[in-house]
Amino acid sequence: MANIQWYPGHMAKAIHQVEDKLHLVDLVFELVDARIPEASRNPAIEKVIQNKPKLVIMTKKDLADPQMTAAWVAHYREQGQVAIAVDSRNRNTAKQITDAATTMLADKIAKIEARGITNRPVRAVCVGVPNVGKSTLLNHIVNKKIAQVGDRPGVTKSQQWLKASKKLELLDTPGILWPKFEDPIVGTKLAVTGAIKENIYPNDDVALYALTFFKKYHADQLIARYHVTPEQLALSEPELLVTMTKNVGMRDDWERFCVAFLLDIRKGRLGRFTLDLTGAQPDA
């Protein structure tokens, strides 16, 4: 398995910017991808935010396995961590996030109001890995196209304040990875879901990892989309990959198929899935 690493300079700068602005906010919104809720949690963020209250927001729940998403939310809550799962396109998402934030800060809000300060909005900073859906979520909450959106990592390059409502103000930040993935599987899962730029990793290695997962947990999707027979599913992953390449009419161009296969996964064309096992370190 390839040891994937990607840490552009603007990410190191973003970490320091979060540290500098932390005193301005009431809590941290840590956005994670519901398909990889553990693999997409940045250990550097935990060190930066220290004792600041944190709400884990699992994005892209519409692409993740719903049972696994519910299990992860329950798992985090058992650990004393408030977590919610959202679909950024749902009209109720803004209220869901605002309600969770105000509930977490109920005591602080009460103390502020006791001093005669009313209608002060909750201020939060949004942090997360690249391509976690942060800009899409923020634009939906703010109901304006303010945060730049792109279906690729590294679109947001600077910080900006966004007024979500009278009750909520948000500080957007660039997606932040960490300098070194101790577990190579973490980097691979981030690559599968599109959090790492494509020219950083070998597509065939990442595709074979994803194929192993789908062969084990979602074989029916492989059969339906790539015309694989049950007998062909018994082939080794490299042989199966070559077979799928031929089945879709790409002949021997398996490298092109690897790119198409990963795009199918990211776009939800193989159905909803969650790579991380509940309560365990990522290991499919």
Side-chain angles (χ1 to χ4, degrees):
M1 183 179 296
N3 188 8
I4 301 169
Q5 304 291 338
W6 182 50
Y7 191 62
H10 75 271
M11 292 186 184
K13 180 181 178 182
I15 283 282
H16 296 305
Q17 288 177 331
V18 171
E19 289 178 312
D20 292 341
K21 299 288 179 62
L22 201 61
H23 69 284
L24 299 175
V25 303
D26 302 303
L27 80 165
V28 174
F29 289 168
E30 182 186 3
L31 275 61
V32 301
D33 189 324
R35 298 168 296 178
I36 48 170
E38 281 295 282
S40 59
R41 294 193 78 180
N42 187 340
I45 290 174
E46 197 68 35
K47 295 178 182 178
V48 169
I49 66 174
Q50 299 176 5
N51 296 323
K52 188 70 70 171
K54 178 179 65 180
L55 172 64
V56 173
I57 301 175
M58 297 172 61
T59 63
K60 304 188 180 184
K61 79 168 188 177
D62 52 307
L63 297 175
D65 181 314
Q67 291 183 323
M68 290 297 292
T69 297
W72 273 110
V73 169
H75 171 74
Y76 286 135
R77 289 177 177 172
E78 287 171 3
Q79 293 183 325
Q81 172 61 62
V82 181
I84 59 174
V86 303
D87 176 354
S88 299
R89 300 170 300 178
N90 190 297
R91 66 171 64 184
N92 295 320
T93 296
K95 183 178 185 302
Q96 182 184 3
I97 292 175
T98 301
D99 288 350
T102 53
T103 298
M104 287 180 65
L105 298 173
D107 291 344
K108 181 174 183 176
I109 292 172
K111 290 178 181 178
I112 292 174
E113 291 179 346
R115 299 202 306 266
I117 303 173
T118 59
N119 298 322
R120 176 189 175 278
V122 170
R123 299 188 179 101
V125 59
C126 298
V127 296
V129 301
N131 206 33
V132 76
K134 185 156 50 64
S135 294
T136 299
L137 178 65
L138 291 174
N139 284 336
H140 185 83
I141 294 176
V142 177
N143 201 26
K144 293 180 182 179
K145 192 172 182 180
I146 296 176
Q148 189 178 4
V149 176
D151 190 20
R152 64 187 190 280
V155 170
T156 304
K157 295 291 179 61
S158 62
Q159 293 184 328
Q160 54 182 329
W161 280 100
L162 305 174
K163 188 175 181 63
S165 67
K166 293 181 179 179
K167 294 184 177 181
L168 183 64
E169 292 181 358
L170 304 170
L171 177 62
D172 187 17
T173 64
I176 305 170
L177 287 176
W178 50 111
K180 181 176 175 58
F181 306 134
E182 297 298 333
D183 185 347
I185 294 178
V186 169
T188 302
K189 289 187 175 184
L190 289 166
V192 170
T193 55
I196 297 177
K197 284 189 175 180
E198 293 180 357
N199 60 352
I200 301 298
Y201 56 84
N203 284 303
D204 53 347
D205 278 3
V206 176
L208 285 169
Y209 176 84
L211 182 57
T212 301
F213 172 83
F214 276 88
K215 181 180 174 181
K216 183 176 181 180
Y217 296 104
H218 301 281
D220 55 331
Q221 298 291 344
L222 299 178
I223 292 172
R225 185 160 184 85
Y226 305 112
H227 317 298
V228 177
T229 66
E231 291 76 21
Q232 289 171 335
L233 281 174
L235 296 171
S236 68
E237 278 74 17
E239 291 175 317
L240 179 57
L241 190 69
V242 171
T243 299
M244 291 162 60
T245 302
K246 294 178 179 178
N247 286 357
V248 298
M250 293 187 183
R251 299 185 180 179
D252 295 325
D253 195 354
W254 53 269
E255 291 186 3
R256 183 161 68 101
F257 175 76
C258 287
V259 175
F261 178 52
L262 291 173
L263 184 61
D264 283 348
I265 292 172
R266 293 167 191 155
K267 294 293 186 180
R269 295 168 186 154
L270 294 183
R272 299 168 71 168
F273 69 94
T274 301
L275 292 177
D276 285 346
L277 304 179
T278 314
Q281 288 300 314
D283 186 5

